[in-house]
Amino acid sequence: MSRRILILGASYGSLLGTKLLMAGHDVTLVCRKATAELINGKGTEVRIKLRDEDLHRPFRSRDLKGTLDAMVPQEVRLEAYDLVVLAMSEPQFANTEVRTLLMRIAHARVPCLSLMNMPPMPYLNRIPGLETDRLAACFTSLDGWREIEPGLVSLCSPDPQAFRLPDADANVLHVGLPTNFKAAPFEVREHNEMLKELEAGIDAIRVEGKEVPVKLRAHDSLFVPFAKWAMLLTGNYRCVQETGMRPIKEAVHDDIETSRNIYRSVSDLVVKLGATPDSQVPFEKYAMAAESLLKPSSAARAIDCGAQHIERVDLLVKLIADQLGMGNPAVDDVVATVTSRIAGNLRAAA
C-alpha cells in the first residue's frame, strides 16, 4: 500500500525520504522556498555506500518508484498525508511558519514520527513519572507543541549519520554512517501497523540483488531511541570546548575514564526511566565506533559558527537526572560548557 508522507526538513529528512521513495511511497519535503524550488527542479540525490563496495552510489529521487515534491510550510494541505516526519532540529520548530504548521498538524491529528535527537515535548509527556513542566528550559519554544496529542507522537532515533557536502547543491546528501532508524511505538494500533508496513517495504528494497543500508526498525519500547543519549553526552556535546571544538574521537578518547563514567551514568538513567539494560549499547562498542568519527559534532560546529540555539539534549539529560536523584558532576560540566558557549554567542550578537 502506497502512503503519502510529509517530511519537515529537506536535509536529513531526505535520507528517510529516499528510502520511502525506493519502497514506492510518495514524499513531500517541507523546506525553505529556494530549496523547494531546487528540489522540484532537480529532485534529490542521496549517496549511500552498499556493503562490500568502495564508493558511494547516488540514489536520485527521479529514478525511484515513489514521487517527490517540495514546498514551504504554508502550502501544505494536511488532509493529503498519512504520516508527518519531524526531521528538523528543535530550534527550527520555533520559526513562525513552522510553528503554525505544527499547530495545524495538531488540529488535523496526523501522526508524527520525530527524527530529532531532542524528543518533542508531547513525546516526553508519554514517559511515566517525568515532571515535564520542569524541562521547559531545554526547548527554544514550546508554542508549536502545546496542542499536539502525546499519543500521536513517536520518536525515532536518528542514528544514521548524513551531511550535506560543501561543494554540492542543497539537494545532495552524503551518508557517512549507514545505521538504522529505531522507532518507538505510537499509542494507536493502526499507526503502529503503518510503521511496520513502512519497515517491511524498506526491508524489501534491493539494488542489483543487494540490500540497501539504512533501515527503519519499529520497536515496542518507548525508550529505545533514548539509547543514543549516552553517545551524545559522551561524544557529541563534549566536542564543545571553552574555546573552539574538537572531533568526536578526541572527545571520547582523550580521557577515556571520564567518558566511561558519563556513558554509564546516562545509560543507567535511561534504564531507570524504563529501558531494559540490554537495549543500551555497551560503552566499548561505542568507543570503538568513535575511533572513526574524525570531525566535530554538528552541535559543536553550530556553536563555533555563532549559533544562539541548538538542541539541548545535554541539558535535558541533566534535568531528568536531577529529578531522579542521579546527577553526575561530569555531566554537569558538559552542560556548563555548552551553556557558556551559547551565552557567549548571545552576547556577541546583542
Side-chain angles (χ1 to χ4, degrees):
M1 177 180 180
S2 178
R3 297 284 187 174
R4 286 281 297 164
I5 315 294
L6 181 73
I7 300 181
L8 277 59
S11 180
Y12 192 79
S14 66
L15 173 53
L16 180 59
T18 292
K19 297 307 298 282
L20 292 167
L21 290 168
M22 294 176 81
H25 304 291
D26 297 331
V27 173
T28 296
L29 298 175
V30 176
C31 49
R32 296 172 179 167
K33 183 178 180 180
T35 306
E37 291 174 350
L38 174 64
I39 291 171
N40 286 330
K42 295 185 176 181
T44 59
E45 178 180 315
V46 174
R47 299 173 182 175
I48 304 175
K49 185 186 291 186
L50 274 57
R51 186 183 298 275
D52 300 324
E53 293 189 359
D54 295 328
L55 300 176
H56 283 67
R57 290 196 186 205
F59 292 94
R60 298 180 179 90
S61 59
R62 291 187 168 182
D63 300 331
L64 305 178
K65 290 173 63 178
T67 59
L68 175 73
D69 65 349
M71 61 184 64
V72 295
Q74 57 268 36
E75 294 176 339
V76 174
R77 296 178 55 194
L78 288 165
E79 63 272 15
Y81 299 99
D82 301 300
L83 178 71
V84 173
V85 176
L86 308 173
M88 297 178 176
S89 67
E90 183 274 326
Q92 291 178 283
F93 289 94
N95 172 275
T96 300
E97 292 178 352
V98 177
R99 189 170 67 241
T100 299
L101 177 55
L102 275 182
M103 295 175 181
R104 291 170 53 208
I105 290 168
H107 296 153
R109 303 188 77 253
V110 184
C112 298
L113 181 67
S114 173
L115 293 189
M116 301 157 61
N117 277 320
M118 184 70 179
M121 184 60 88
Y123 189 80
L124 291 173
N125 285 330
R126 296 180 61 189
I127 307 302
L130 271 189
E131 297 179 45
T132 53
D133 58 332
R134 295 169 57 187
L135 305 177
C138 304
F139 291 83
T140 308
S141 172
L142 288 174
D143 291 344
W145 304 110
R146 297 187 191 282
E147 297 183 46
I148 298 181
E149 184 179 326
L152 291 175
V153 179
S154 185
L155 183 64
C156 187
S157 181
D159 290 352
Q161 293 186 2
F163 51 89
R164 284 178 171 169
L165 298 166
D167 58 347
D169 289 335
N171 62 330
V172 178
L173 192 73
H174 184 91
V175 179
L177 184 64
T179 49
N180 296 326
F181 294 108
K182 301 171 187 172
F186 289 102
E187 284 187 355
V188 178
R189 179 178 58 81
E190 66 184 82
H191 298 155
N192 289 325
E193 290 175 351
M194 176 170 59
L195 273 185
K196 290 288 188 181
E197 172 191 314
L198 296 176
E199 176 186 44
I202 290 173
D203 259 355
I205 296 168
R206 296 291 185 275
V207 173
E208 299 171 6
K210 298 181 179 181
E211 293 188 13
V212 181
V214 185
K215 306 293 183 70
L216 175 65
R217 295 289 181 241
H219 292 265
D220 296 327
S221 168
L222 289 173
F223 306 100
V224 166
F226 293 173
K228 193 175 181 182
W229 286 2
M231 305 175 199
L232 294 172
L233 269 291
T234 305
N236 296 48
Y237 285 102
R238 289 173 69 223
C239 293
V240 181
Q241 302 286 276
E242 284 293 351
T243 56
M245 57 184 175
R246 59 181 174 175
I248 294 175
K249 177 183 176 180
E250 291 181 18
V252 174
H253 288 277
D254 277 3
D255 183 349
I256 198 69
E257 289 308 316
T258 298
S259 295
R260 183 179 283 106
N261 170 29
I262 292 172
Y263 196 93
R264 287 179 176 172
S265 72
V266 178
S267 291
D268 289 347
L269 174 66
V270 173
V271 171
K272 180 73 171 180
L273 286 172
T276 59
D278 61 3
S279 68
Q280 304 303 292
V281 178
F283 172 73
E284 290 72 20
K285 183 175 181 179
Y286 169 67
M288 185 178 298
E291 290 276 8
S292 64
L293 301 178
L294 305 180
K295 296 180 180 179
S297 64
S298 58
R301 296 196 304 271
I303 288 175
D304 226 51
C305 290
Q308 300 170 39
H309 301 283
I310 65 167
E311 289 190 328
R312 294 301 307 271
V313 180
D314 62 317
L315 181 58
L316 176 69
V317 168
K318 169 185 163 48
L319 294 180
I320 293 176
D322 290 346
Q323 280 190 31
L324 300 182
M326 298 179 68
N328 182 337
V331 171
D332 294 346
D333 288 346
V334 175
V335 173
T337 299
V338 175
T339 301
S340 173
R341 287 293 307 279
I342 292 173
N345 288 348
L346 288 167
R347 289 193 299 271

